């Protein structure tokens, strides 16, 4: 796939590999096998370089790592997948054994929902994960120094970046097309981008994202309901069978109706309802999905439309895999079957064949519309790609799957939500207006600050997962810190969904997130990990995630002033902090203007009393120009392991705050 980006080339250096048959060297013309180009750009993109590899006549028999026989492989326990990393050719490549003093830091994005995101000091420890991986940031000083983003520019579903040892003493970071590809079509090109910045890690990701979105003319369709209003989720990490009404003998449908009416009585305005993977019909013997219709023991009417009409709200519906007998029967009564591709997971977990994907999703979404669907969630995307031989061995096959889904959603006006996707899916969605949101971090956890950097760069609001306002609901510990999860949700700029499992909601907590009509009170950009976290912390001890020791995230709210955007408040969320820490200017994006005066307010255990009718000086603190507030430590329970300690301790020790301009506070 060749991408025609709107970039003006400053100069190009080209290397060409040619071959001349030795039998008739004087009469047989040479053939260009492989070309490489290094391109630099002028104007606003003077800080961008692109490395392009091409095969003018294509190539056959290329699989350096045949599917299922991978060397240089990575196995990530939480991914349930092993996949080879080595490319079938290498361009570009960079040595990683040239940083003996560990002067360079690195940040790597990889894995499902970008839940893998590591950082450390020293190129010798650089972690790149082949087709599971994505952009890598190299930096000298996280908050304000030089930073470089290295990432695929095109052919996203075939690109790989891998560690390769060229010799016992020469170690490299190599890039190219995946070694599982069996053939390259004529004209195949694959390229990698390098974007340089002088403003720290967050600024480098912003400049990288701006370059990519400009190259692909990225737009996102409006999503005022599923992105702008409060929703209710039934993917609450336990089971719909745990609703107290179901335990009392009611059907799932009646339990949902009771819950909806209870929310209305509490003046909580829910604007959509999410259904996860439990609701549809599966084969009683194989477990494979047979029909995208509700189980009648859950919904006696046999259709979700009855429930959707009863609450007068659209549904966010879900699917992931399809059984070998999967059939779509739409309103005209015609039963539709489509060609399906095998996966290594067996006949219960199939995917639409690449050439049939567009028609498959058109029919699926027509059936969804008949049932009240307004948006669609696709799950297990990483496994779908890497465990479906058709998708992972053929150039363009996985693209057909993604394009078919996105095109059908756009035709219907259905927003898409990606789940269990890897970075290549987010990068591919630069071309898909229907993709309006994507999961970030692990299921039911709040650790999305670093993942959200990539989402933000690519213009995709991150979705944390639902949260429980009633902290007694849910059987998994990470859900228990309801207040923290609620703050992470609203500061994400992505969807916000309550998952209280039918129990009474915390009305005060939920209503603090919305206007009376359910409109979410969001900041202007997602809360992302502050640059100081990367600069001051390195790889954590075994068994501990980086965010569990030092986790500070920042966001901001922007308003129009005299026709120009102006930052009126920076928001700081402290999930874990081992010692008093003085915020620095480089932790905030965009950087505060030197002439601006600020005041700050803290929520949490160290907050001053802000109550209705009190003087503003009782709860806000002015800052001298050039000085920033000191963030107090969180307690040891939160530092040692988020989601592991007593509920009360976690809720009372996390902190949040905002810095506002003096003018904004006075006006308020």
């Amino acid at each position: 796939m060749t991408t025609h980006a709107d970039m003006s080339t400053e100069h190009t250096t080209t290397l060409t590999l040619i071959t001349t048959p030795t039998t008739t060297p004087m009469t047989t013309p040479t053939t260009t096998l492989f070309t490489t180009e290094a391109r630099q750009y002028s104007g606003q993109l003077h800080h961008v370089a692109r490395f392009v590899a091409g095969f003018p006549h294509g190539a056959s028999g290329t699989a350096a790592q045949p599917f299922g026989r991978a060397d240089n492989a990575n196995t990530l326990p939480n991914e349930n997948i092993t996949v080879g990393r080595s490319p079938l050719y290498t361009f570009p490549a960079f040595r990683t054994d040239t940083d003996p003093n560990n002067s360079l830091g690195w940040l790597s994005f990889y894995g499902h929902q970008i839940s893998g995101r590591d950082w450390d000091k020293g190129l010798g420890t650089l972690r790149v994960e082949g087709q599971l991986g994505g952009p890598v940031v190299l930096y000298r000083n996280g908050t304000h120094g030089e930073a470089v983003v290295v990432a695929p520019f095109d052919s996203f579903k075939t690109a790989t970046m891998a560690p390769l040892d060229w010799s016992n003493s020469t170690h490299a970071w190599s890039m190219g097309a995946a070694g599982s590809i069996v053939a390259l079509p004529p004209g195949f090109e694959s390229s990698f981008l390098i974007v340089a910045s002088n403003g720290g890690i967050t600024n480098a990701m912003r400049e990288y994202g701006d370059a990519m979105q400009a190259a692909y003319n990225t737009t996102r369709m409006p999503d005022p309901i599923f992105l702008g209003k409060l929703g209710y989720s039934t993917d609450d990490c336990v089971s719909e069978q745990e609703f107290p009404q179901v335990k009392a003998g009611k059907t799932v449908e009646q339990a949902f109706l009771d819950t909806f009416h209870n929310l209305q009585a509490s003046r909580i305005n829910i604007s959509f309802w999410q259904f996860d993977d439990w609701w549809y019909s599966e084969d009683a013997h194989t477990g494979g999905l047979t029909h995208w219709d509700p189980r009648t023991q859950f919904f006696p009417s046999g259709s979700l439309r009855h429930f959707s009409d009863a609450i007068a709200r659209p549904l966010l519906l879900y699917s992931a895999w399809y059984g070998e007998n999967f059939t779509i029967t739409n309103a005209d009564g015609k039963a539709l079957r489509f060609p399906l591709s095998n996966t290594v997971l067996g006949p219960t977990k199939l995917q639409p064949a690449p050439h049939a994907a567009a028609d498959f999703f058109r029919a699926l979404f027509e059936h969804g519309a008949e049932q009240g669907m307004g948006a669609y969630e696709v799950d297990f995307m990483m496994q779908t790609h890497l465990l479906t031989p058709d998708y992972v061995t053929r150039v363009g096959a996985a693209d057909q799957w993604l394009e078919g889904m996105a095109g059908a959603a756009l035709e219907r006006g259905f927003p898409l939500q990606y789940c269990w996707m890897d970075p290549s899916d987010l990068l591919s969605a630069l071309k898909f207006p229907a993709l309006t949101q994507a999961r970030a971090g692990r299921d039911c956890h709040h650790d999305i600050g670093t993942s959200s950097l990539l989402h933000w760069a690519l213009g995709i609001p991150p979705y944390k997962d639902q949260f429980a306002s009633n902290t007694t609901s849910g059987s998994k510990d990470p859900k228990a810190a309801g207040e923290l999860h609620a703050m992470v949700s609203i500061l994400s700029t992505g969807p916000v969904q309550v998952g209280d499992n039918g129990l009474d909601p915390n009305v005060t907590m939920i209503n603090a997130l919305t206007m009376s009509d359910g409109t979410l009170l969001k900041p202007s950009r997602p809360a992302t990990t502050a640059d100081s976290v990367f600069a001051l912390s390195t790889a954590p001890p075994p068994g501990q995630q980086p965010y569990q020791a030092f986790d500070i995230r920042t966001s901001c709210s922007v308003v129009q002033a005299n026709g120009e955007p102006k930052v009126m408040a920076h928001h700081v969320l402290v999930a874990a902090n081992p010692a008093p820490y003085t915020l620095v200017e480089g932790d905030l994006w965009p950087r505060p203007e030197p002439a601006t005066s600020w005041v700050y307010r803290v929520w949490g255990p160290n907050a001053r009393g802000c109550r209705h009718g009190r003087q503003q000086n009782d709860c806000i603190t002015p800052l001298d120009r050039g000085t920033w507030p000191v963030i107090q430590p969180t307690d040891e329970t939160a530092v040692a392991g988020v989601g592991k300690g007593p509920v009360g301790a976690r809720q009372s020790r996390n902190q949040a705050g905002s810095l506002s301009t003096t003018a904004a506070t006075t006006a308020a």
Side-chain angles (χ1 to χ4, degrees):
M1 179 186 71
T2 301
T3 299
H4 301 284
D6 185 16
M7 295 180 173
S8 56
T9 303
E10 187 175 67
H11 66 81
T12 300
T13 302
T14 303
L15 301 175
T16 303
L17 176 67
I18 63 174
T19 181
T20 303
T22 57
T23 52
T24 54
M26 301 302 294
T27 58
T28 303
T30 60
T31 301
T32 301
L33 298 180
F34 177 52
T35 65
T36 61
E37 298 179 33
R39 302 176 184 173
Q40 290 179 287
Y41 299 93
S42 58
Q44 293 184 339
L45 295 175
H46 66 279
H47 59 306
V48 175
R50 183 177 166 203
F51 295 86
V52 186
F55 289 78
H57 302 286
S60 59
T62 56
Q65 294 189 316
F67 183 79
R69 299 208 323 264
D71 58 3
N72 187 24
N74 58 339
T75 301
L76 304 180
N78 65 323
E79 309 293 8
N80 299 316
I81 190 169
T82 299
V83 61
R85 293 183 288 186
S86 297
L88 58 87
Y89 62 85
T90 294
F91 185 78
F94 303 98
R95 291 182 62 173
T96 56
D97 53 12
T98 56
D99 185 27
N101 298 321
N102 295 335
S103 61
L104 283 178
W106 57 265
L107 165 63
S108 181
F109 299 92
Y110 62 88
H112 81 277
Q113 296 166 184
I114 330 300
S115 59
R117 58 275 177 276
D118 284 348
W119 61 89
D120 205 346
K121 298 290 179 61
L123 287 180
T125 64
L126 175 63
R127 182 168 185 173
V128 286
E129 295 295 345
Q131 286 186 276
L132 296 175
V136 173
V137 186
L138 305 178
Y139 57 91
R140 292 195 185 279
N141 183 308
T143 59
H144 61 267
E146 297 171 314
V148 172
V149 181
V150 183
F153 178 73
D154 52 24
S155 299
F156 302 118
K157 300 303 290 183
T158 61
T160 187
M161 298 194 290
L164 283 180
D165 294 339
W166 291 358
S167 70
N168 289 335
S169 60
T170 304
H171 309 290
W173 169 22
S174 300
M175 305 169 204
S180 59
I181 299 296
V182 298
L184 300 175
F188 174 83
E189 281 190 0
S190 178
S191 62
F192 292 80
L193 203 68
I194 295 181
V195 179
S197 172
N198 286 318
I201 294 168
T202 300
N203 196 64
M205 287 298 293
R206 180 67 273 152
E207 293 184 3
Y208 156 73
D210 289 344
M212 293 296 287
Q213 292 192 55
Y216 283 89
N217 296 313
T218 300
T219 59
R220 303 286 174 209
M221 64 182 286
D223 188 1
I225 300 298
F226 300 92
L227 200 56
K229 296 293 185 76
L230 184 68
Y232 200 90
S233 172
T234 64
D235 177 22
D236 64 353
C237 300
V238 280
S239 168
E240 72 289 341
Q241 301 291 333
E242 294 299 313
F243 273 61
Q245 300 92 332
V246 174
K247 290 182 176 181
K250 293 186 177 182
T251 66
V252 170
E253 182 173 19
Q254 188 57 55
F256 285 3
L257 288 171
D258 289 351
T259 299
F260 178 78
H261 293 142
N262 182 34
L263 291 164
Q264 282 193 313
S266 301
R267 297 187 177 182
I268 296 174
N269 198 325
I270 296 295
S271 296
F272 66 93
W273 206 273
Q274 185 268 359
F275 285 70
D276 208 67
D277 64 349
W278 51 268
W279 62 274
Y280 40 63
S281 304
E282 295 179 338
D283 187 283
H285 300 289
T286 67
L289 176 59
T290 57
H291 296 83
W292 210 40
D293 296 288
R295 304 183 190 192
T296 53
Q297 68 265 37
F298 295 160
F299 292 85
S301 66
S303 172
L304 299 181
R305 169 63 73 175
H306 182 268
F307 173 72
S308 176
D309 287 347
I311 66 173
R313 301 291 189 272
L315 308 179
L316 171 57
L317 298 187
Y318 166 112
S319 67
W321 312 101
Y322 308 93
E324 57 187 345
N325 297 316
F326 182 68
T327 304
I328 300 172
T329 304
N330 286 329
D332 59 7
K334 184 178 180 181
L336 302 176
R337 301 279 295 272
F338 295 89
L340 300 173
S341 289
N342 292 321
T343 74
V344 300
L345 300 175
T348 64
K349 289 182 168 58
L350 308 180
Q351 291 296 335
H355 70 277
D359 289 337
F360 176 92
F361 284 109
R362 286 192 185 100
L364 188 74
F365 293 165
E366 179 182 350
H367 192 55
E370 292 167 357
Q371 302 202 71
M373 184 173 93
Y376 175 70
E377 175 191 358
V378 55
D379 201 357
F380 296 112
M381 297 180 71
M382 186 182 69
Q383 286 92 330
T384 290
H385 173 212
L386 297 176
L387 299 182
T388 304
D390 279 351
Y391 291 4
V392 80
T393 62
R394 294 170 43 206
V395 172
D399 296 299
Q400 286 181 290
W401 169 60
L402 291 174
E403 290 165 1
M405 183 195 315
L410 188 62
E411 290 172 7
R412 282 273 174 187
F414 287 165
L416 287 179
Q417 180 187 116
Y418 280 180
C419 189
W420 211 276
M421 72 292 157
D422 61 30
S424 69
D425 297 309
L426 295 185
L427 289 163
S428 297
L430 286 163
K431 301 172 291 182
F432 304 150
L435 194 279
T436 66
Q437 53 195 263
R439 284 291 311 280
R442 299 174 296 158
D443 285 0
C444 301
H445 286 69
H446 67 76
D447 54 333
I448 71 170
T450 304
S451 310
S452 297
L453 270 173
L454 181 58
H455 291 66
W456 172 59
L458 301 179
I460 303 168
Y463 173 39
K464 181 207 81 72
D465 207 354
Q466 51 66 48
F467 73 94
S469 74
N470 186 322
T471 55
T472 62
S473 67
S475 61
K476 291 191 176 182
D477 281 346
K479 285 192 65 181
E483 187 176 40
L484 174 60
H485 284 255
M487 287 191 292
V488 172
S489 292
I490 197 65
L491 290 175
S492 73
T493 71
V496 177
Q497 298 183 43
V498 181
D500 277 329
N501 219 32
L503 298 175
D504 290 337
N506 184 323
V507 177
T508 301
M509 182 189 299
I510 294 173
N511 282 340
L513 307 176
T514 72
M515 299 173 66
S516 60
D517 65 351
T519 299
L520 300 170
L521 298 170
K522 297 182 177 184
S524 300
R525 79 169 187 93
T528 59
T529 302
D531 283 1
S532 288
V533 173
F534 306 119
L536 299 178
S537 63
T538 57
Q544 190 178 50
Q545 296 288 338
Y547 62 83
Q548 290 178 322
F550 185 34
D551 184 356
I552 295 177
R553 310 173 202 176
T554 64
S555 177
C556 68
S557 291
V558 176
V559 298
Q560 292 291 320
N562 298 322
E564 297 291 333
K566 182 177 178 62
V567 175
M568 298 302 287
H570 286 279
H571 313 294
V572 182
L573 174 67
V574 185
N577 181 33
Y581 169 72
T582 301
L583 200 70
V584 299
E585 183 182 273
D587 289 327
L588 307 175
W589 194 98
R591 296 290 171 82
E593 298 176 2
T596 305
S597 297
W598 296 88
V599 297
Y600 74 95
R601 173 185 175 183
V602 177
W603 289 266
N606 299 295
R608 300 171 64 182
C610 288
R611 293 181 176 86
H612 182 66
R614 298 281 295 271
Q615 294 293 319
Q616 65 177 13
N617 288 341
D618 288 341
C619 64
I620 63 172
T621 303
L623 288 168
D624 294 332
R625 289 184 183 178
T627 64
W628 299 99
V630 176
I631 296 173
Q632 298 302 317
T634 53
D635 76 331
E636 293 181 359
T637 300
V639 173
V642 173
K644 299 290 186 182
V647 173
R650 277 201 312 280
Q651 285 190 290
S652 64
R653 292 296 184 262
N654 300 113
Q655 305 171 52
S658 291
L659 296 99
S660 304
T661 64
T662 303
T665 304
T666 302

